[in-house]
Amino acid sequence: MNTSDFWKNFRLGEELHIAGSFIYNGLRRFHELELFDNSDELFEFLYNLSVGIERLLKIAIVLHEHSEVGDQETLEKSLITHNHLDLLERVRNHVEIKFGKPHNDLLQLLGTFYKTLRYDRFSLNSVYEGHKEVSAILSFLNKHLQVEISKKNLPFATLNEDRYRAFIRRTVLAISQTMYTVIDEQARSLGLYTYELRYGSKAESVFLRKVNISDEDVLWKELLIFFMNSDPKTGYFKFLKGIEPLKFDPGLIRDYLDCFKSDASKAEVMDELEHHYGEMDKSDRKQRFEIIGFIGAQGVYFDDEGDIEEDNQ
């Protein structure tokens, strides 16, 4: 395998996983978003999405435009851009891609965000016009869903809704999976394996599994129900049941459940956890950390009653 084939096979294959991870993280961040009021949360969503889709477009461009006789330096310099629509047009020079208005507008929004909006707060003029990420997202949703979400509803919070989550998911996945198909087909035509995705990776979830974060929420809820209603017959369950629970407040169960679905919600409960640990003496706290460390640890196994009985026969 020559140098260029190795590059396109393996290094761009790594880039494909990186792009998929950024896109997945963006989708998850928007899914977890409860309010449109916080610029930092929308910034995280837009940043992840813009980086992921930009890298995806560039993979497709390299696979179509690179050749042994071409100018490598010129190609590499041409990729130093953050204009998503321009990158898309370069791909369209080689394959037909039909995107609707929402897809093109989202790509334009991502390009604008990455080029200008993400730096806006470093400008003195931001004093007079802040929350540009919020305004950009609300304008995008208002335009394509024919709704009237406004930041002017103060003092009331601007709530995210499942219909907004579903629309963002559909639009992002349509762009992502279309571009993955372009990469897949071109790689195969070149006899390369750039398209291969690691099973269980975030990239596989985005490009092949059509990830739906709502379905992943169902998973943790079903697992929670399973844990709560299973008899402690296995060694693992006996171990878990044998640990004295901390005295969390049953009245705050909704807040605790939010920790399973949102990283942001964990911060609100961490103070209470730290309080509980602060009430212990140093030796008890150290012992509990050691016990808790066994949960989910690799290479830790618990004997089951059934296994012991079979061994004794």
Side-chain angles (χ1 to χ4, degrees):
M1 182 180 294
N2 61 35
T3 303
S4 64
D5 282 351
F6 186 96
W7 173 45
K8 288 181 280 191
N9 238 333
F10 298 106
R11 294 299 174 258
L12 292 190
E14 293 171 4
E15 275 297 322
L16 189 61
H17 280 87
I18 291 169
S21 294
F22 271 102
I23 295 168
Y24 175 92
N25 292 342
L27 286 172
R28 170 160 283 284
R29 194 66 194 90
F30 192 85
H31 178 82
E32 294 176 354
L33 192 73
E34 294 188 358
L35 307 173
F36 287 114
D37 295 56
N38 301 317
S39 295
D40 59 312
E41 295 178 345
L42 280 174
F43 184 102
E44 189 177 359
F45 158 64
L46 289 170
Y47 185 86
N48 277 283
L49 202 57
S50 60
V51 171
I53 292 180
E54 176 188 316
R55 300 180 91 89
L56 193 63
L57 290 162
K58 290 177 179 178
I59 295 169
I61 288 170
V62 171
L63 290 177
H64 280 90
E65 295 187 2
H66 177 265
S67 69
E68 295 292 344
V69 298
D71 187 330
Q72 180 74 22
E73 185 178 356
T74 299
L75 174 61
E76 291 178 7
K77 285 184 177 179
S78 74
L79 296 174
I80 304 175
T81 176
H82 306 300
N83 191 315
H84 293 67
L85 286 178
D86 283 353
L87 292 170
L88 177 62
E89 283 305 308
R90 285 176 65 175
V91 180
R92 280 179 167 150
N93 290 333
H94 306 279
V95 293
E96 182 180 12
I97 298 175
K98 294 182 179 178
F99 282 154
K101 189 66 173 170
H103 312 102
N104 291 323
D105 284 352
L106 180 58
L107 290 171
Q108 183 176 30
L109 169 58
L110 295 178
T112 301
F113 164 78
Y114 205 82
K115 184 178 180 181
T116 60
L117 292 187
R118 69 187 178 118
Y119 295 114
D120 187 66
R121 275 169 293 273
F122 289 105
S123 167
L124 184 63
N125 288 333
S126 64
V127 171
Y128 307 104
E129 187 179 357
H131 304 289
K132 287 188 177 180
E133 294 93 350
V134 179
S135 298
I137 286 293
L138 296 186
S139 296
F140 176 71
L141 293 173
N142 286 338
K143 177 179 180 181
H144 294 288
L145 292 179
Q146 286 79 53
V147 292
E148 287 297 331
I149 321 170
S150 175
K151 276 287 295 175
K152 298 178 180 179
N153 293 331
L154 296 175
F156 304 105
T158 312
L159 298 175
N160 195 7
E161 298 180 12
D162 285 343
R163 56 176 171 161
Y164 308 148
R165 295 183 176 97
F167 173 70
I168 290 293
R169 172 183 173 269
R170 286 195 309 270
T171 307
V172 170
L173 288 184
I175 295 171
S176 304
Q177 291 174 356
T178 297
M179 296 314 305
Y180 174 75
T181 299
V182 170
I183 292 168
D184 183 358
E185 292 176 350
Q186 180 64 5
R188 289 177 190 273
S189 72
L190 296 172
L192 302 174
Y193 299 94
T194 317
Y195 58 85
E196 289 190 343
L197 298 171
R198 187 176 68 256
Y199 178 75
S201 65
K202 291 180 178 180
E204 189 222 20
S205 295
V206 170
F207 301 133
L208 296 181
R209 194 161 55 84
K210 299 182 180 180
V211 62
N212 190 339
I213 308 298
S214 296
D215 292 343
E216 295 184 2
D217 282 348
V218 172
L219 172 62
W220 72 256
K221 292 173 185 176
E222 290 290 358
L223 288 174
L224 181 64
I225 293 169
F226 166 72
F227 289 138
M228 292 186 65
N229 291 280
S230 295
D231 293 328
K233 294 179 180 179
T234 68
Y236 216 131
F237 273 117
K238 282 189 171 183
F239 173 74
L240 294 174
K241 294 280 188 179
I243 301 174
E244 176 98 20
L246 297 177
K247 295 180 180 179
F248 286 103
D249 185 351
L252 299 177
I253 188 168
R254 185 190 180 283
D255 295 334
Y256 302 152
L257 289 174
D258 281 346
C259 293
F260 288 95
K261 69 177 185 178
S262 168
D263 287 337
S265 299
K266 294 175 187 175
E268 300 177 11
V269 183
M270 280 301 297
D271 286 341
E272 184 177 357
L273 177 63
E274 291 171 2
H275 168 75
H276 290 308
Y277 278 125
E279 295 290 298
M280 302 179 190
D281 61 46
K282 189 174 181 179
S283 61
D284 288 343
R285 186 163 60 247
K286 180 181 178 182
Q287 183 180 32
R288 188 173 184 89
F289 280 143
E290 291 174 351
I291 294 172
I292 293 295
F294 289 126
I295 301 174
Q298 294 292 327
V300 176
Y301 302 94
F302 299 87
D303 289 331
D304 294 342
E305 287 181 356
D307 295 337
I308 296 173
E309 291 175 0
E310 291 175 4
D311 291 341
N312 292 333
Q313 290 179 356

